[in-house]
């Protein structure tokens, strides 16, 4: 349970990328800043701070959300996952492997958010169409790739996971 | 060739990716330093206003605030500087451009004060406590009105015209005299906002012990930034280090020196603390350089058979309120490339650069060339329409022939190599042109409007010969064979998504026969890497890669001498073959680069007089630009009920010379297409008459999303460039430059039954719907 201290800070406890975290946060602290700061989750990128670009997308209790539109205190008791839960360089998640194979990223700033959205979506929709993926990506902006390789990579990964 | 063939031309996966895909890359905001304080800027809410007073005293009283400064405080403390402009032209007006506005603001978003606090939240709160009194002035927003008279952006200049550049070559009078028709049009190339996904980000650290400044910043030009910053701050150049860590996209907008970079660096020297500034997206929209924004009045002379004779242009270029680094230089590319891939006999152009109360324009993917290509490719279609000819035939009629290279154009450029008909042939074959025209005819009978649009572009890049550049045009590479046989490459270019850590490692691996995983490519740090010019103008591989090739050549030459000495052979009989050093005709004698490298390191067994070590630093001075080209075909269908133009197919056949990594080349083309198509259909920066930026968020600025684009069909021809030892041309901007006119030509072709000749971009549904439903008086039938 959260409680409020004299300076207005509220102590929250939650799980971030599989680790227990307990912290006193100001009520106004955005989840994106909390994750990037005290939680050192540098895969959470802030591209617009108004919920449009999707770069800061993380998973809270299984749902993909914009970390820039949520307050840290709202995640008290939650399970928060950033791109770090997918895989590491030597053991990539199929989505990550396909992103590399398809050259689905250039500057990489939008990529972690897209990976989280895609992973979350594929859990519920294992056999998406190209159009489905384009719809999914309507929550994300990428300036580098023109999206084609991103769609291809997600479709590839879905197929790999179905096998 | 002495290379391992499999490495060059292979779709090797990027080595940059693992860190980026796993959320473990380090962008500027991921760099953390103890004691960091955070800057926030107070920005003008007016397009044009006198600044009566700036009072930062209340801000200083806010909790957590460390300092607050107005322009006067900076000047009093000794920072009295103007943001530099590198591009110069005869008679160019260069008004002062202080990093904080002094007594007048000239665009929405111009900084007037800065506050520094212990947290970014406290800094932004304190911005609200800075009291600025403004007297609003009339704003100059409309480009042509601003060119004609007051209000003036800079009252003391008595004009908004910053420069007038005439370009008259060949014999335009004769060219127009022999023309059977003259087609006239007003072409608008609207303002765009670059929108890299990572906004401008910077962290300055003045090390009080070492008296040394480090600036981490999201830039395309770390070395040029360092030199300029040192001069502006009055520090020795050796006292300044600039690091461009992971950079989240640039597109030309990070090819600059921003006032914020000067102020944040200076703040750190004053406060003795690391100072970080990460701009908001709103600030990025308002105060990072914009692109394009030209109005062109054109006249094209043509004979009945479609031969283009001459071109007259009057170009108005919107510079914004101040010059940034290359602001006035960008529109000067436009006349140079206006002839495109066609032969003309007369050319007469005048470019007028105009100040307005808007953010400065500067380089944005293509930078002056998309404006030329869009104009000439639209002009060809307008001529075809006027003469009742097929736009494909008009293009062919006027192409520079494949046997005519190197070809000196009427504007004085020398195109290096090309085969324009070959790329067009390939594109036509891919799209089944005849079949498409038949289908178009059939659909029209059903009230469906299919359009087919072409663009056969050529562009100038690989910037460039130093004599033709506002800054040095060469770039550098250092290659070091380490004692264990690993190879370190220091490159002077500064990639930010283009993947040269991979392509350069491919080149090294191929040439020196070392495993790609033992090659490290280092860039973007002025304390590590020898001076380099940076990444812009599609120059990374064409100039930086060429420098790398020269350094490899030097290493191979030395390695051959060492091996020959070891074998007591004549060096002329020793060569690099398939990545190994061998004696010609004697396969039993063979050494690897690593083996020779160790001998060179150990310093024993070297030829007399030869220095130990196996490394080389070389620079490549390009003798010319390079000129990639291609043929794009766009097929659209315009919905008569909604006016929406939907791209049905997009075929891009591009030629960027020799390809090192096709995966990366295709990626550059794809991204370029997206930005070029976006200009045609979606994006537009809009200021209202007071200078408010109406399109200042991602909710308002129509950067395309996945469902608005389609799966592009890309192919290529390969015409090597003779300009550099790799035979490569640039590919970063080609897709953007080539694609915009293909889309607009396609939409105009679709609307041909309605008598529509030209509609200004972006081709939003309501504009198309109105054009399709207008009666003969031009009024819309509701």
């Amino acid at each position: 349970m959260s409680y409020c201290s004299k300076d207005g800070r509220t102590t929250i406890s939650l799980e971030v990328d599989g680790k227990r975290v307990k912290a006193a946060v100001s009520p106004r602290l955005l989840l994106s800043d909390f994750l990037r700061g005290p939680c050192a989750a540098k895969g959470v990128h802030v591209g617009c701070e108004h919920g449009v670009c999707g770069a800061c997308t993380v998973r809270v209790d299984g749902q993909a959300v914009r970390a820039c539109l949520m307050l840290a205190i709202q995640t008290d008791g939650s399970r928060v996952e950033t791109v770090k839960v997918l895989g590491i360089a030597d053991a990539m998640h199929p989505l990550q492997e396909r992103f590399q194979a398809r050259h689905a990223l250039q500057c990489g700033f939008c990529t972690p958010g897209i990976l989280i959205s895609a992973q979350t979506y594929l859990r519920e929709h294992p056999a998406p169409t190209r159009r489905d993926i384009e719809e999914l990506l309507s929550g994300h902006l990428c300036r580098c790739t023109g999206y084609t390789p991103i769609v291809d990579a997600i479709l590839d990964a879905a197929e790999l996971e179905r096998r | 060739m002495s290379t391992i063939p499999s490495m060059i031309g292979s779709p090797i996966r990027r080595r940059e990716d693992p860190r980026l895909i796993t959320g473990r890359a380090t962008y500027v905001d991921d760099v953390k330093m103890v004691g960091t304080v955070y800057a926030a800027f107070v920005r003008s809410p007016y397009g044009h206003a006198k600044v009566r007073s700036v009072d930062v005293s209340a801000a200083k009283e806010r909790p957590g605030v460390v300092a607050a400064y107005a322009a006067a405080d900076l000047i009093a403390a000794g920072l009295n500087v103007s943001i530099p402009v590198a591009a110069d032209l005869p008679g160019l007006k260069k008004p002062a451009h202080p990093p904080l506005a002094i007594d007048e603001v000239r665009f929405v978003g111009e900084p007037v004060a800065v506050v520094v606090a212990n947290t970014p939240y406290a800094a932004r709160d304190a911005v609200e406590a800075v009291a600025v009194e403004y007297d609003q002035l009339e704003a100059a927003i409309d480009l042509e009105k601003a060119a004609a008279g007051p209000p003036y952006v800079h009252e003391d200049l008595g004009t908004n015209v910053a420069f007038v550049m005439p370009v008259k070559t060949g014999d335009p009078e004769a060219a127009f005299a022999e023309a059977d028709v003259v087609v006239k049009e007003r072409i608008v190339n609207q303002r765009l906002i670059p929108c890299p996904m990572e906004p401008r980000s910077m962290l300055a650290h003045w090390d009080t012990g070492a008296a040394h400044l480090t600036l981490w910043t999201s830039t395309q030009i770390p070395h040029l930034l360092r030199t300029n910053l040192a001069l502006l701050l009055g520090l020795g150049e050796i006292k300044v280090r600039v690091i461009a860590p992971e950079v989240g996209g640039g597109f030309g907008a990070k090819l600059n020196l921003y006032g914020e970079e000067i102020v944040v660096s200076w703040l750190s020297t004053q406060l003795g603390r690391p100072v970080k500034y990460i701009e908001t997206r709103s600030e990025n929209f308002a105060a990072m350089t914009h692109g394009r924004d030209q109005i062109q009045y054109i006249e094209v002379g043509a004979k009945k058979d479609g031969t283009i004779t001459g071109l007259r242009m009057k170009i108005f270029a919107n510079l914004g309120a101040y010059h940034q680094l290359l602001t006035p230089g960008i529109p000067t590319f436009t006349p140079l490339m206006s002839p495109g891939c066609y032969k003309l006999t007369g050319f007469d152009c005048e470019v007028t650069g105009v100040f307005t109360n808007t953010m400065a324009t500067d380089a944005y993917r293509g930078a002056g060339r998309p404006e030329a290509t869009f104009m000439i490719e639209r002009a060809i279609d307008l001529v075809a329409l006027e003469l009742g000819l097929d736009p494909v035939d008009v293009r062919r009629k006027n192409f520079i022939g494949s046997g005519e290279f190197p070809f000196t154009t009427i504007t004085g450029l020398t195109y290096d190599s090309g085969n324009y008909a070959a790329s067009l042939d390939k594109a036509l074959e891919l799209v089944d042109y005849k079949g498409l025209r038949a289908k178009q005819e059939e659909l029209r009978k059903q009230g469906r409007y299919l359009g087919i649009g072409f663009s056969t572009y050529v562009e100038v890049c690989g910037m460039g010969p130093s004599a033709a550049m506002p800054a040095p045009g060469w770039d550098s590479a250092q290659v070091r064979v380490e004692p264990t046989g690993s190879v370190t490459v220091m490159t002077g270019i500064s990639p930010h998504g283009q993947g040269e850590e991979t392509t350069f490692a491919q080149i090294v691996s191929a040439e020196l026969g070392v495993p790609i995983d033992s090659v490290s490519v280092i860039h973007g740090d002025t304390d590590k890497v020898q001076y380099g010019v940076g990444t812009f103008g599609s120059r990374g591989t064409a100039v930086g890669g060429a420098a790398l090739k020269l350094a490899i050549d030097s290493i191979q030459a030395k390695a051959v001498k060492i091996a020959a000495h070891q074998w007591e052979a004549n060096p002329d009989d020793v060569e690099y073959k398939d990545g190994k050093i061998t004696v010609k005709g004697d396969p039993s004698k063979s050494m690897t680069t690593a083996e020779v490298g160790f001998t060179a390191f150990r310093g024993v067994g070297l030829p007399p007089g030869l220095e130990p070590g196996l490394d080389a630093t070389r620079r490549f001075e390009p003798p010319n630009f390079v000129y990639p080209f291609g043929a794009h075909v766009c097929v659209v269908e315009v919905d008569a009920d909604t006016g929406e133009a939907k791209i049905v197919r997009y075929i891009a056949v591009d030629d960027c010379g020799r390809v090192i990594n096709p995966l990366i080349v295709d990626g550059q083309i794809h991204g370029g297409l997206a930005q070029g198509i976006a200009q045609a259909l979606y994006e537009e920066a809009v200021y209202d008459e007071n200078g408010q930026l109406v399109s200042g968020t991602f909710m308002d600025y129509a950067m395309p999303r996945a469902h608005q684009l389609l799966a592009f069909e890309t192919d290529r021809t390969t015409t090597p460039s003779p300009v550099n030892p790799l035979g490569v041309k640039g590919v970063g901007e080609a897709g953007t430059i080539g694609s915009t006119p293909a889309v607009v030509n396609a939409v105009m072709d679709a609307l041909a039954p309605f008598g529509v000749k030209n509609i200004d971009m972006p081709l939003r549904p309501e504009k198309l719907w109105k054009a399709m439903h207008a009666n003969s008086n031009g009024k819309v039938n509701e």
Side-chain angles (χ1 to χ4, degrees):
Chain A
M1 275 299 290
S2 63
Y3 61 92
C4 191
S5 68
K6 275 183 194 163
D7 66 355
R9 284 174 178 250
T10 300
T11 299
I12 56 172
S13 50
L14 65 157
E15 188 189 303
V16 177
D17 293 335
K19 287 183 188 144
R20 296 303 306 172
V21 174
K22 196 170 180 185
V25 298
S26 148
R28 68 187 291 201
L29 183 68
L30 295 173
L31 178 58
S32 50
D33 290 333
F34 175 65
L35 292 172
R36 289 187 47 74
C39 302
K42 63 185 189 175
V44 180
H45 295 158
V46 181
C48 75
E49 348 74 34
H50 56 275
V52 189
C53 81
C56 68
T57 304
V58 297
R59 208 158 36 230
V60 177
D61 295 329
Q63 279 201 306
V65 301
R66 306 270 203 256
C68 75
L69 291 186
M70 208 168 169
L71 299 168
I73 53 168
Q74 291 177 281
T75 60
D76 186 33
S78 294
R79 183 164 165 241
V80 177
E81 294 164 288
T82 78
V83 69
K84 278 192 182 172
V85 301
L86 268 79
I88 55 170
D90 293 334
M92 285 197 213
H93 185 276
L95 269 168
Q96 293 169 313
E97 189 275 328
R98 287 286 94 197
F99 264 62
Q100 186 183 22
R102 290 284 195 170
H103 189 28
L105 66 152
Q106 290 177 30
C107 84
F109 201 78
C110 71
T111 314
I114 293 178
L115 288 169
I116 284 287
S117 276
Q119 188 194 29
T120 311
Y121 181 82
L122 292 182
R123 283 175 180 172
E124 301 282 320
H125 307 87
T129 64
R130 189 166 197 95
R131 182 73 200 160
D132 291 337
I133 301 303
E134 286 170 0
E135 288 289 331
L136 165 74
L137 290 174
S138 68
H140 293 271
L141 286 171
C142 167
R143 194 52 150 173
C144 295
T145 63
Y147 302 104
T148 302
I150 300 178
V151 177
D152 290 338
I154 297 173
L155 287 171
D156 280 2
E159 197 186 323
L160 281 174
E161 299 234 36
R162 284 201 302 274
R163 277 185 200 159
Chain B
M1 289 292 282
S2 63
T3 58
I4 298 179
S6 63
M7 266 298 155
I8 300 290
S10 287
I12 305 279
R13 294 181 185 194
R14 291 204 319 173
R15 358 172 54 210
E16 290 88 339
D17 289 352
R19 63 178 189 260
L20 295 166
I21 299 181
T22 58
R24 283 155 175 92
T26 301
Y27 298 84
V28 172
D29 198 22
D30 301 317
V31 180
K32 312 277 183 190
M33 296 203 75
V34 173
T36 298
V37 290
Y38 299 85
F41 287 85
V42 180
R43 293 177 185 275
S44 169
Y46 295 109
H48 198 188
K50 285 280 175 201
V51 179
R52 213 179 325 140
S53 66
V54 183
D55 183 356
V56 298
S57 56
K60 285 182 177 170
E61 300 304 314
R62 301 273 316 176
V65 171
V66 175
Y69 302 85
D73 305 318
L74 257 59
I75 293 166
L79 185 71
N80 189 4
V81 298
S82 187
I83 297 166
V85 50
D88 206 356
L89 294 163
L92 176 68
K93 294 189 169 56
K94 293 190 223 177
H97 184 188
L100 297 182
I102 298 168
D103 50 14
E104 194 167 322
V105 285
R106 297 183 171 88
F107 67 94
V108 164
E110 183 171 1
V112 290
V114 61
V115 295
V116 186
N118 286 326
T119 70
Y121 286 66
R124 278 186 212 169
D125 287 350
V127 162
E128 302 301 322
V130 173
V132 188
E133 289 184 301
Y134 295 99
D135 291 326
Q136 196 175 354
L137 298 169
E138 203 185 337
I141 301 300
D142 181 273
L143 173 54
E144 290 175 274
K145 280 186 197 160
Y152 298 127
V153 177
H154 302 275
E155 193 63 42
D156 53 331
L157 295 180
T159 176
N160 289 320
V161 174
F163 69 88
V164 177
M165 186 183 86
V167 184
K168 189 173 177 180
T169 59
D171 190 343
E173 287 76 17
F176 276 88
E178 65 170 339
D180 296 315
V181 294
V182 176
V183 174
K184 299 182 182 182
E185 193 55 76
R186 176 181 186 267
I187 290 179
V188 179
N189 206 292
Q190 82 273 28
R191 179 179 285 237
L192 301 177
I193 301 182
C195 297
M197 292 315 300
E198 182 204 28
R200 290 180 298 170
S201 306
M202 55 203 80
L203 169 64
H205 173 227
W206 175 253
D207 182 331
T208 49
H212 180 275
L213 176 75
T214 302
L215 176 69
W216 288 264
T217 186
S218 187
T219 186
Q220 301 172 223
I221 47 165
H223 278 98
L224 293 176
L225 197 57
R226 174 207 197 194
T227 302
N228 280 286
L229 206 53
L231 291 170
L232 288 161
L233 296 177
L235 295 169
E237 198 167 358
I238 52 165
K239 291 290 183 188
V240 181
R241 175 185 190 184
V242 173
I243 300 175
E246 219 71 72
V247 171
F251 311 108
K254 290 174 183 170
L255 159 56
N256 228 307
L257 170 54
Y258 285 102
E260 290 87 345
E261 288 169 321
I262 302 169
V263 171
V264 165
S265 298
W266 179 83
L267 285 170
S268 184
T269 66
Q270 296 297 298
L271 302 171
R273 303 269 296 264
V275 181
K276 187 178 264 191
Y277 170 62
I278 310 293
E279 73 177 347
T280 64
R281 183 54 63 179
S282 303
E283 291 177 293
N284 183 270
F285 270 106
M288 180 185 234
T289 54
H290 295 173
R292 318 275 191 268
D293 208 341
Q294 289 186 9
I295 295 173
Q296 307 159 331
Y297 290 89
I298 66 160
E299 294 180 20
V300 194
K303 293 187 196 170
K304 278 187 186 140
D305 66 355
T307 305
I308 308 288
T309 58
L311 185 58
R312 285 199 193 105
M313 304 169 72
K314 189 160 172 52
I315 300 175
F316 294 96
N318 194 339
L319 305 177
Y322 299 97
H323 298 307
Q324 279 284 338
L325 198 62
L326 300 170
T327 299
I330 301 302
T332 65
F333 273 119
T334 306
L336 291 176
M337 285 311 292
S338 285
C341 44
Y342 312 109
K343 294 192 270 193
L344 312 172
T345 56
F347 183 78
D348 188 359
C349 176
E350 185 184 84
V351 187
T352 305
V354 184
F355 291 120
T356 62
N357 289 110
T358 61
M359 180 58 204
T361 55
D362 203 311
Y364 168 56
R365 203 167 193 167
R369 292 103 82 204
E371 296 89 323
T373 302
F374 182 73
M375 181 283 303
I376 189 68
E377 291 302 307
R378 286 289 298 127
I380 295 282
D381 270 38
L382 290 166
V383 166
L385 190 65
E386 177 76 22
L387 296 171
L389 300 172
D390 189 312
V392 170
D393 296 335
V394 177
R395 285 180 167 79
R396 281 195 201 284
K397 186 93 198 159
N398 293 283
F399 272 160
I400 298 159
S402 62
E404 297 181 72
F405 293 92
F407 181 88
T408 301
T409 70
I410 194 159
T411 52
L413 298 173
T414 301
Y415 291 176
D416 57 344
S417 62
N419 191 342
Y420 305 144
S423 55
L424 179 57
D425 288 342
K426 196 162 197 177
L428 289 172
E429 196 185 308
L430 287 168
V431 80
D432 178 21
Y433 187 42
K434 272 189 184 165
L436 260 182
R437 284 290 179 204
K439 190 178 173 193
Q440 179 182 40
E441 202 54 41
E442 199 177 302
L443 287 175
R444 275 183 187 166
K445 288 178 196 151
Q446 303 167 24
R448 289 175 62 187
Y449 299 96
L450 197 73
I452 307 154
F454 292 89
S455 163
T456 46
Y457 74 92
V458 57
E459 70 114 343
V460 53
C461 67
M463 312 266 165
S466 293
M469 299 276 291
W474 51 263
D475 223 301
S476 67
Q478 182 181 82
V479 178
R480 307 197 299 233
V481 179
E482 309 290 0
T484 58
S486 298
V487 177
T488 305
V489 175
M490 299 280 180
T491 175
I493 63 160
S494 193
H496 42 282
Q498 296 88 347
E500 276 95 351
E501 289 176 32
T502 303
T503 45
F504 283 14
Q506 283 178 258
I507 295 170
V508 170
S509 175
E511 298 280 344
L512 294 180
V514 294
I516 192 166
D517 288 339
S518 66
V519 183
S520 166
V521 179
I522 294 170
H523 57 82
D525 183 339
T526 63
D527 265 14
K528 285 186 185 168
V529 179
Q530 73 290 341
Y531 211 106
V533 178
T535 291
F536 56 88
S538 301
R539 69 193 301 281
T541 307
V543 185
L548 172 63
K549 178 68 169 71
L550 296 182
I552 291 168
D553 289 347
S554 295
I555 282 188
Q556 288 184 334
K558 187 168 182 181
V560 160
K561 281 185 198 164
I562 295 169
H565 181 73
Q566 297 263 311
W567 292 325
E568 296 178 352
N570 183 339
D572 292 342
D573 296 333
V574 177
E575 64 175 0
Y576 255 89
K577 194 162 190 288
D578 298 334
K580 285 201 171 81
I581 308 150
T582 61
V583 175
K584 288 176 193 166
D586 180 2
S588 68
K589 291 258 190 342
S590 167
M591 285 175 87
T592 62
T593 299
E595 287 165 344
V596 177
F598 186 79
T599 303
F601 160 71
R602 184 65 184 82
V604 177
L606 300 179
L610 197 70
E611 277 178 19
L614 190 56
D615 55 41
T617 305
R618 295 288 300 272
R619 286 166 191 82
F620 179 68
E621 168 63 45
N624 189 4
F625 297 102
V626 291
Y627 295 86
F629 60 93
H632 290 193
V633 189
C634 178
V635 185
V636 299
E637 184 170 352
V638 182
D639 187 319
D641 292 333
T642 65
E644 189 186 3
K646 189 168 171 51
I647 300 178
V648 184
R649 285 183 74 188
Y650 198 99
I651 291 98
V653 177
D654 296 279
D655 192 322
C656 61
R658 191 163 168 234
V659 169
I660 310 292
N661 185 326
L663 197 62
I664 288 175
V665 165
D666 287 348
Q668 288 297 310
I669 292 290
H670 275 245
L673 294 178
Q675 287 179 22
I677 291 169
Q679 175 169 23
L681 295 181
Y682 305 119
E683 293 182 20
E684 182 178 28
V686 181
Y687 283 94
D688 74 8
E689 69 277 11
N690 296 316
Q692 281 303 330
L693 180 62
V694 178
S695 57
T697 76
F698 278 136
M699 299 294 279
D700 308 297
Y701 186 79
M703 189 170 140
R705 293 171 183 275
H707 67 277
Q708 290 167 303
L709 297 169
L710 74 165
F712 306 123
E713 302 164 56
T714 56
D715 206 332
R716 66 174 65 87
T717 57
T718 303
T719 309
S721 172
V723 170
N724 59 68
L726 292 172
V728 298
K729 300 185 178 189
V731 70
E733 296 158 291
T736 303
I737 292 167
S739 55
T740 311
V743 178
V744 175
N745 283 340
V747 174
M748 293 307 121
D749 183 54
L751 299 195
F754 300 91
V756 175
K757 284 185 185 172
N758 193 44
I759 301 174
D760 292 337
M761 299 185 288
L763 300 177
R764 282 193 287 258
E766 103 263 11
K767 285 189 202 171
L768 302 187
W769 188 89
K770 280 180 180 166
M772 295 169 94
H773 293 79
N775 62 26
S776 53
N777 301 322
K779 291 203 172 149
V780 174
N781 304 312
E782 296 292 347

